[in-house]
Amino acid sequence: MKKNMLKLTHRSIRKQVPSLSFNFPEPTTGGKVMVARKKDNGEGWTVDSLEVIGIGWLLSYRQYAIDERETFISQVSESVICLSIRWGNGGDIGYRDGEDNSIIEQRKNYLFWQGDRQMEENLLSGEHIYLDLFVRPECLAHLDEHSVIRNLLNQSDKKPFGEIEGIEIYVDERIDDYISDLLTEIANSVPDVERFSCLCEHLLMKCLGEYHLAPPVALPQEVKKSDGIQVSYQPNAAEKKMLLKLDKMDRAALLMKFDELLQMTSTKKKEQKQEIKLNETLKSLSFRLVSESKTRLAHFYINLAQLMELEYNKETFTSNEQEILKKAICETCILSFELVPATPELLVFYAKWSNDSPLMRPIEKDQLIDILSRLMPSKNFDFTKDDSERGRKLLAEQIKETFGFKPMSYFTGEKMGEKPQEIAELYNRLMDKCAETLELTKDAGIRRSDIVRELDSAYEANDLITLLQIEIEQFTQEPNYIEKQDAEHLKWLVVALLFLDQDCETFSKELRESSIYSDLQLFHELGDSMPKFKREIKRQANELDRIGILLAEELKAYFGSAVKGEIFKIANYILNKKG
């Protein structure tokens, strides 16, 4: 299953957490990194930031101008190892909330296992520069021969987070120069994900004293771009590996392999469509049988959270008592969200008490559309329901179009002539084929079809594999089309089908394991028996009703009590029931 890109949430403590945010798939192997430049400001402060996101790596470079002391909060969307380098007038940093709320002198630099903890930065007036490099532990597994890296990887396996000051980093002129060169390269040309990973690794290892490493050399593709010459597509490591295996096949063997893969992937896609259709039927049935029970219990939890909020606002509590109530309110919200998707209003309520976005189950597309429709009732959201790899890319393109997000070429300045020749030629040929799917709007504009959205998305990302897969769909029905292709292009068509087969296997695993398809999984566990499935869903509904009645009975004595201590009995009851 393809992972979402790492995402950094950074804000002043005086600003609310956004109630809704989107996660996009991380860049593909061989594609470009995601580069974002942002500006944020408030009363007496401004922050200019640069974020660069690759596969498992996120670099954040932030420049602060502070008039008076200000506190900022930051958190990464996943558990990460963090290299934190800082220049400026001083302040302190530490984990936000929790038992280990250590405060560390801001002028020092550290490498540490952050896990999924929030960080708090208290900055003095003046100018500050922060460079944070975040990385998934798995991306450093090949460096485990280094004792420091091995220690961090061990921490990531055994601890939720590590000590910030565990590994202090000394930044000398050589590291300063390397950082300057790295930022200059990103500013001048957007690197691909492999090069960005290499640049980040070298920075990390230099900070650990490994100065003997040769600096990454510029890629030939980047040199050609500066000369204004049409570039050729550079296959990534996975593509090269597949092509190498096909080199020994003659034309007849390649045609046979193509036919075999085409038939196999077509069968898998057909079976998966049937499974998705069955899942929709089961989900609808489950909703009718259990939704009322889930909704009743979810509302009970929210009412409980609101009761605790009311009492919190009535009384003056110690800091320890406030912490208990806040944790209980958050936990009660999460219990509700596990039963029924949170509305935008409840997400805001949760964020108010947690200073965080809730950890929720994977959101289904109809739930996403429902949330967006509440936020923007004037818009019509018609997103794809295809959960395959291609479907996820299409969904990302649909969301970009709906919200008016600029394409990456807008930020990178990449022009048509700078695209790999193979990408540009195949894109143009497919656009000619699919031009009839475009529609004219009433205001003389053009509405893209989904196939054109896919083509535009693949073109922007230099995603040759997706373009080849679309070519197979669009042209293989033409007589002798495949037989007319030269041996080199035939190899690439086979590679595209090999990747499609991998995607089918990944999606099949998701159908078996993801919570989004829990009804489908239950149906198969019960021997594909509809009567057994109905009985089990009814049993679950009855169990939820029983839990609701039991909770109401156990907490009945506390409701309406004027005694301050009773609200803590409710709070402790909820926290003790956690899990």
Side-chain angles (χ1 to χ4, degrees):
M1 180 176 174
K2 187 172 177 59
K3 295 184 178 180
N4 289 327
M5 66 170 62
L6 294 177
K7 181 172 67 175
L8 175 66
T9 302
H10 180 271
R11 64 182 175 86
S12 164
I13 196 171
R14 291 186 280 178
K15 286 195 171 185
Q16 279 196 335
V17 178
S19 60
L20 182 66
S21 62
F22 296 109
N23 293 316
F24 291 103
E26 64 186 355
T28 56
T29 303
K32 296 290 187 180
V33 296
M34 176 69 183
V35 179
R37 293 173 175 83
K38 305 176 184 178
K39 188 178 184 68
D40 194 14
N41 60 74
E43 187 177 347
W45 61 269
T46 60
V47 182
D48 290 290
S49 62
L50 167 71
E51 287 183 14
V52 189
I53 308 168
I55 298 179
W57 293 88
L58 188 159
L59 184 146
S60 173
Y61 182 77
R62 307 187 298 278
Q63 296 174 290
Y64 300 81
I66 311 291
D67 291 342
E68 296 182 4
R69 189 181 183 108
E70 185 69 24
T71 299
F72 295 89
I73 297 169
S74 63
Q75 185 173 26
V76 183
S77 55
E78 298 180 29
S79 296
V80 290
I81 291 169
C82 175
L83 170 64
S84 190
I85 299 176
R86 307 163 191 277
W87 303 264
N89 285 11
D92 46 57
I93 65 170
Y95 291 129
R96 177 170 173 77
D97 300 328
E99 297 176 0
D100 183 11
N101 191 20
S102 54
I103 300 297
I104 309 300
E105 184 183 347
Q106 184 265 346
R107 288 189 182 91
K108 294 183 178 180
N109 311 301
Y110 297 100
L111 175 64
F112 59 100
W113 163 234
Q114 181 176 330
D116 62 356
R117 292 294 300 275
Q118 281 188 331
M119 299 296 295
E120 183 174 304
E121 305 159 355
N122 300 301
L123 303 187
L124 301 177
S125 61
E127 295 183 352
H128 306 263
I129 296 177
Y130 278 31
L131 185 146
D132 288 331
L133 183 62
F134 304 102
V135 57
R136 291 192 190 112
E138 66 198 56
C139 296
L140 300 181
H142 63 290
L143 300 174
D144 65 351
E145 291 184 1
H146 195 289
S147 59
V148 172
I149 301 296
R150 185 165 59 251
N151 179 40
L152 289 168
L153 294 177
N154 288 336
Q155 288 184 45
S156 71
D157 285 337
K158 299 175 182 177
K159 297 181 179 181
F161 58 92
E163 296 180 0
I164 297 175
E165 68 272 37
I167 306 165
E168 186 173 349
I169 300 297
Y170 297 94
V171 175
D172 59 18
E173 187 176 342
R174 288 175 292 181
I175 294 176
D176 276 338
D177 290 342
Y178 183 83
I179 291 172
S180 177
D181 291 342
L182 185 155
L183 295 174
T184 299
E185 177 172 335
I186 292 170
N188 292 337
S189 63
V190 178
D192 61 33
V193 292
E194 289 84 2
R195 178 160 178 79
F196 179 63
S197 297
C198 183
L199 291 168
C200 291
E201 273 186 27
H202 274 68
L203 173 58
L204 178 60
M205 297 309 291
K206 286 179 185 297
C207 287
L208 295 177
E210 301 291 343
Y211 293 104
H212 62 278
L213 293 173
V217 295
L219 296 178
Q221 183 175 344
E222 294 166 342
V223 174
K224 288 181 181 178
K225 281 189 177 183
S226 65
D227 295 336
I229 301 173
Q230 180 81 59
V231 300
S232 296
Y233 181 77
Q234 302 296 317
N236 61 46
E239 292 164 354
K240 285 179 180 177
K241 187 175 180 180
M242 289 184 180
L243 288 168
L244 188 62
K245 289 181 178 179
L246 299 176
D247 274 345
K248 297 178 182 178
M249 290 188 179
D250 59 20
R251 184 178 181 79
L254 286 171
L255 287 169
M256 188 179 300
K257 184 69 173 177
F258 178 89
D259 290 338
E260 174 193 338
L261 286 168
L262 183 61
Q263 182 176 353
M264 184 166 58
T265 53
S266 297
T267 300
K268 288 180 180 180
K269 287 170 66 178
K270 182 179 179 180
E271 291 172 350
Q272 288 171 355
K273 284 182 179 179
Q274 292 172 345
E275 286 285 89
I276 292 170
K277 186 176 180 180
L278 174 60
N279 181 67
E280 291 296 319
T281 301
L282 296 171
K283 188 170 65 172
S284 177
L285 175 61
S286 176
F287 180 81
R288 291 199 304 271
L289 294 175
V290 81
S291 64
E292 288 187 8
S293 300
K294 285 186 174 182
T295 301
R296 278 195 297 269
L297 185 54
H299 283 173
F300 178 87
Y301 284 132
I302 291 301
N303 289 337
L304 201 56
Q306 291 170 341
L307 170 67
M308 288 187 282
E309 178 188 45
L310 183 64
E311 295 299 320
Y312 184 100
N313 294 332
K314 281 182 181 178
E315 302 281 357
T316 301
F317 296 105
T318 66
S319 59
N320 185 54
E321 290 171 337
Q322 287 178 334
E323 190 62 30
I324 291 173
L325 279 180
K326 285 173 66 177
K327 286 182 178 179
I329 290 171
C330 293
E331 179 59 28
T332 309
C333 287
I334 290 174
L335 290 170
S336 173
F337 299 161
E338 288 175 347
L339 294 167
V340 175
T343 64
E345 296 80 10
L346 289 178
L347 289 174
V348 172
F349 176 80
Y350 177 89
K352 171 184 173 183
W353 292 98
S354 69
N355 294 314
D356 190 11
S357 298
L359 298 173
M360 302 195 312
R361 298 170 302 170
I363 190 168
E364 298 183 41
K365 299 228 171 54
D366 52 357
Q367 296 169 358
L368 172 63
I369 293 171
D370 179 61
I371 291 174
L372 293 176
S373 298
R374 289 168 183 258
L375 291 173
M376 290 173 287
S378 62
K379 282 190 175 288
N380 178 32
F381 299 102
D382 185 21
F383 293 154
T384 178
K385 292 188 176 181
D386 182 0
D387 282 323
S388 68
E389 180 66 20
R390 286 262 303 274
R392 291 190 181 96
K393 292 176 183 177
L394 174 57
L395 176 62
E397 188 67 17
Q398 289 173 329
I399 291 175
K400 290 177 189 176
E401 181 181 283
T402 299
F403 291 95
F405 297 154
K406 301 284 188 185
M408 271 302 298
S409 57
Y410 176 85
F411 301 99
T412 64
E414 187 177 40
K415 299 179 177 61
M416 182 75 169
E418 296 172 343
K419 285 284 182 183
Q421 184 174 353
E422 297 84 350
I423 296 283
E425 290 178 355
L426 183 52
Y427 170 78
N428 288 331
R429 187 152 56 89
L430 289 169
M431 281 296 294
D432 288 341
K433 174 77 171 177
C434 301
E436 61 186 24
T437 66
L438 296 170
E439 298 178 24
L440 289 176
T441 61
K442 292 180 180 179
D443 57 356
I446 295 178
R447 180 182 295 113
R448 296 186 299 169
S449 62
D450 282 346
I451 188 66
V452 172
R453 291 187 182 100
E454 281 196 89
L455 289 173
D456 288 345
S457 174
Y459 176 77
E460 280 291 326
N462 288 336
D463 184 356
L464 180 61
I465 297 302
T466 295
L467 291 175
L468 289 165
Q469 290 171 357
I470 297 174
E471 178 188 9
I472 292 168
E473 291 174 359
Q474 295 295 322
F475 288 105
T476 50
Q477 298 304 316
E478 295 185 6
N480 300 319
Y481 178 82
I482 297 301
E483 287 76 6
K484 294 176 183 176
Q485 304 306 310
D486 61 43
E488 187 62 27
H489 193 64
L490 190 55
K491 285 180 188 176
W492 274 107
L493 291 172
V494 171
V495 168
L497 287 177
L498 287 169
F499 274 104
L500 178 58
D501 187 54
Q502 288 182 1
D503 292 341
C504 287
E505 288 299 313
T506 300
F507 188 43
S508 293
K509 183 178 180 182
E510 192 171 336
L511 288 171
R512 295 192 302 271
E513 298 178 1
S514 172
S515 61
I516 290 177
Y517 303 102
S518 57
D519 290 320
L520 181 66
Q521 294 154 14
L522 176 61
F523 179 77
H524 290 320
E525 287 171 11
L526 297 173
D528 296 352
S529 168
M530 190 62 76
K532 288 182 180 179
F533 178 79
K534 291 179 180 178
R535 286 197 297 272
E536 174 59 21
I537 295 299
K538 289 177 180 177
R539 186 198 67 77
Q540 291 179 9
N542 292 334
E543 178 65 13
L544 289 172
D545 288 336
R546 187 190 70 80
I547 291 172
I549 293 170
L550 179 63
L551 283 171
E553 284 294 323
E554 292 193 34
L555 297 173
K556 181 170 60 177
Y558 305 144
F559 292 139
S561 173
V563 180
K564 176 180 174 181
E566 297 302 317
I567 195 66
F568 291 105
K569 291 181 181 178
I570 296 176
N572 284 315
Y573 179 89
I574 291 297
L575 293 174
N576 290 333
K577 287 287 183 182
K578 183 176 179 181

